[in-house]
Amino acid sequence: MTRTPAEVRSFEGRRFVRTPATAPGPLGPQMLGAFSAIRRNPVDYLESTWRTYGDVVQFPIPRPPSYLVNDPEGVRRVLVTHGRNYGKSTIQYRSLSLVTGEGLLVADTEAWRRQRPLVQPAFHHETLNHLVSHVDTALQRRFREWESLPSDAVVDMDAAMMTSALEVVGHALFGTDLSQDAHRLARATLSALDVVVARARVPITPPNWMPTPGNRRLHRAVRELDAAVEDMLQERRQNPSEVPADMLDLLLLARDQQGSGLTVEEIRDQIVTFIVAGHETVASALTWAWALLADHPEIQRELQRESEEVLGGGPATFADVGRLPWARAVFDEALRLYPPAWLITRKALGPDSLGGRDIPKGALIILSPWLLHRHPDVWAHPDSFDPTRFLDGSADRNAFIPFGSGLRQCIGRDFAYVEGTLMLASIAGRYSVSYPTGGRHPKAEPLVTVRPVGGLPVRLTPR
Ligand code: HEM
């Protein structure tokens, strides 16, 4: 049932709070009834509300008034043309900041303005150049592991991509000589992240100070994180590099125009942010690309042909990245259908109008690349896997936001493209991937990123 816009009411304390409803959406009892569906799969729930109520949906939540916006122009307005009217102080980013501190990903406008120029040099050309050899190191490790398996062995490609992406971001951050501290840090980051995801799944989150098992785990992991970063920074201060060798050196050396750099705490927050933002995202996109390739052997053959032509079975160079359009298009199409960051939220700093609906100041705006990438107004046959849309120029780049868009677009976008393209091309050059008997395309579960339920068991056939 579509509600006629009237008002959203809730009982807070001893009085009713009335928030004018400015867009259609579910009524309170309907939303309460949907609670277990939301917990089971929030992206399915968002998709069903979008398909039921339209491109701007208001949820029956008065504080803050909450809207799902999937109007292509409206999304662009929030992220790009009126991006300054939308901040990041939302529940999603506040809960992530329990792990990342005030790193670039969650920083609200003021802190972000100071940090971004200081962090940018860590993503310059030299870093991307080094990245090629970090990707190759991870690949050689996988190839050695796989060579020791019998032909046609079944491997969990999801686990392989997670391990590889962690090795790549770890090497890019800390150099090839990964210390115990780096391993400790990555482990603590991932364990803290698990707790944050588990917390997001329960309707009432206990306050941080409450000694619940979840909170205790979170505090333990954050303490471990802080100690590991502190030890690493101390070690760098005692043995400073003459020439910056990795992203951590670049963060330590960064200075703004007034000559001031990032504080120790800010560096800790950026490092943890890069592990959180740069590990599972790339791994998840790669895993879905392999699942889609196993579904489409004809596209896999195109990728293999390109890999043979360009790489010829050898290691890639930085220049090769631009010579692999099929690998890039497959990665893009996987990012379209399975955008790892399936949810982007903003807080309206002032009133606005989106998709013809009034948005009050303070409103929570929920955007979902998952939904926008399936919008039939901008994508032809949106549910089909068709990388050629990215080769023939028919993909609408304005409606393609796996890395966000506008001012807060992902700083690691080029990093992800180098890694994603080379991983796909290099592995396709050596192996064919297919589902084992009884295996099939996994179900998607939206956690921090969109994960395959049960991993991705595939048969690897040497070529
Ligand atoms: C396929 C891989 C990746 C995807 C899908 C992805 C997605 C995103 C998205 C959607 C945003 C914007 C969030 C928003 O607007 O609220 C973002 C921001 C960010 N990402 Fe990525 N990301 C990826 C890889 C990486 C990598 C490899 C790194 C670092 C090593 C990274 C670091 C960051 C940071 C620091 C930000 C915040 C940028 C800012 O606000 O200035 N990401 N990412």
Side-chain angles (χ1 to χ4, degrees):
M1 184 183 73
T2 306
R3 183 190 59 219
T4 315
E7 61 187 17
V8 172
R9 301 203 314 167
S10 79
F11 193 63
E12 281 189 9
R14 303 184 62 183
R15 63 194 177 88
F16 273 107
V17 176
R18 293 161 195 266
T19 307
T22 59
L27 298 169
Q30 286 170 317
M31 194 154 165
L32 279 178
F35 224 89
S36 62
I38 300 173
R39 275 194 66 186
R40 222 177 16 253
N41 193 323
V43 89
D44 278 356
Y45 178 73
L46 289 181
E47 185 158 354
S48 77
T49 54
W50 164 51
R51 295 200 190 274
T52 309
Y53 300 103
D55 283 351
V56 181
V57 180
Q58 184 171 7
F59 293 106
I61 301 167
R63 295 244 173 114
S66 303
Y67 296 82
L68 168 68
V69 176
N70 198 39
D71 169 63
E73 258 315 301
V75 172
R76 198 167 151 69
R77 189 173 167 93
V78 171
L79 294 179
V80 186
T81 55
H82 289 64
R84 286 176 204 282
N85 187 45
Y86 294 92
K88 275 207 165 181
S89 169
T90 66
I91 181 155
Q92 181 201 10
Y93 289 114
R94 286 300 98 212
S95 84
L96 202 54
S97 74
L98 293 171
V99 183
T100 63
E102 295 302 311
L104 205 57
L105 181 61
V106 304
D108 213 355
T109 317
E110 275 314 303
W112 173 82
R113 228 188 284 284
R114 192 183 101 71
Q115 286 182 22
R116 177 108 183 192
L118 285 164
V119 176
Q120 196 73 53
F123 289 86
H124 278 174
H125 191 78
E126 270 308 288
T127 301
L128 297 182
N129 224 336
H130 288 312
L131 191 58
V132 176
S133 70
H134 302 322
V135 172
D136 190 54
T137 305
L139 278 166
Q140 295 311 324
R141 263 201 207 161
R142 293 302 81 71
F143 291 156
R144 275 197 300 278
E145 288 161 12
W146 294 341
E147 273 158 18
S148 66
L149 300 173
S151 181
D152 284 352
V154 174
V155 301
D156 182 353
M157 205 56 158
D158 178 47
M161 294 299 101
M162 286 290 258
T163 309
S164 303
L166 188 57
E167 285 170 9
V168 171
V169 77
H171 285 158
L173 270 171
F174 311 121
T176 43
D177 182 25
L178 269 192
S179 66
Q180 266 317 95
D181 290 330
H183 287 294
R184 206 173 126 203
L185 196 146
R187 253 197 331 272
T189 301
L190 301 180
S191 135
L193 208 55
D194 276 351
V195 184
V196 168
V197 175
R199 281 162 62 108
R201 296 227 134 189
V202 289
I204 299 164
T205 312
N208 278 344
W209 51 263
M210 254 180 150
T212 59
N215 276 345
R216 279 206 298 269
R217 252 184 82 205
L218 179 65
H219 296 317
R220 229 184 358 258
V222 170
R223 270 200 309 275
E224 178 77 22
L225 255 177
D226 290 342
V229 175
E230 181 51 40
D231 288 351
M232 285 186 73
L233 292 181
Q234 197 155 352
E235 142 97 33
R236 289 283 163 123
R237 271 187 235 111
Q238 280 161 4
N239 307 299
S241 322
E242 277 170 28
V243 185
D246 51 37
M247 292 170 86
L248 178 54
D249 278 343
L250 290 164
L251 288 176
L252 285 162
L253 287 171
R255 294 287 174 273
D256 61 18
Q257 281 172 343
Q258 286 74 45
S260 61
L262 293 160
T263 64
V264 168
E265 204 180 13
E266 284 172 333
I267 290 179
R268 172 248 182 243
D269 293 351
Q270 307 309 340
I271 292 175
V272 175
T273 295
F274 294 167
I275 296 173
V276 169
H279 159 230
E280 204 182 291
T281 46
V282 180
S284 162
L286 281 167
T287 294
W288 289 111
W290 289 116
L292 292 160
L293 287 166
D295 295 330
H296 295 271
E298 73 293 357
I299 293 175
Q300 203 175 144
R301 279 193 291 278
E302 284 296 338
L303 190 62
Q304 290 169 342
R305 183 199 46 74
E306 178 181 86
S307 174
E308 274 153 28
E309 258 171 47
V310 179
L311 304 180
T317 64
F318 185 65
D320 290 332
V321 179
R323 298 191 196 115
L324 296 162
W326 266 96
R328 163 105 181 203
V330 166
F331 194 58
D332 269 340
E333 184 67 342
L335 285 167
R336 184 183 71 82
L337 282 169
Y338 295 93
W342 56 279
L343 196 72
I344 295 178
T345 54
R346 290 292 189 270
K347 178 180 175 177
L349 304 178
D352 201 1
S353 170
L354 298 173
R357 306 285 177 180
D358 288 338
I359 303 293
K361 175 179 174 180
L364 171 71
I365 307 298
I366 301 168
L367 311 176
S368 171
W370 179 285
L371 301 187
L372 187 65
H373 293 173
R374 285 169 170 75
H375 202 303
D377 290 357
V378 275
W379 298 100
H381 48 94
D383 294 326
S384 312
F385 174 61
D386 178 10
T388 61
R389 67 175 95 231
F390 286 96
L391 293 170
D392 63 16
S394 63
D396 181 341
R397 297 274 165 183
N398 283 334
F400 183 58
I401 56 162
F403 297 100
S405 194
L407 279 177
R408 303 298 297 259
Q409 172 161 285
C410 178
I411 201 172
R413 180 175 172 274
D414 292 345
F415 186 121
Y417 273 125
V418 170
E419 182 176 353
T421 308
L422 294 184
M423 281 274 174
L424 286 176
S426 306
I427 296 175
R430 295 236 186 163
Y431 291 94
S432 293
V433 165
S434 57
Y435 289 117
T437 317
R440 63 188 148 88
H441 193 90
K443 241 176 89 61
E445 187 180 22
L447 297 171
V448 176
T449 63
V450 183
R451 310 287 303 129
V453 175
L456 179 64
V458 289
R459 196 183 300 287
L460 278 185
T461 310
R463 300 186 53 237

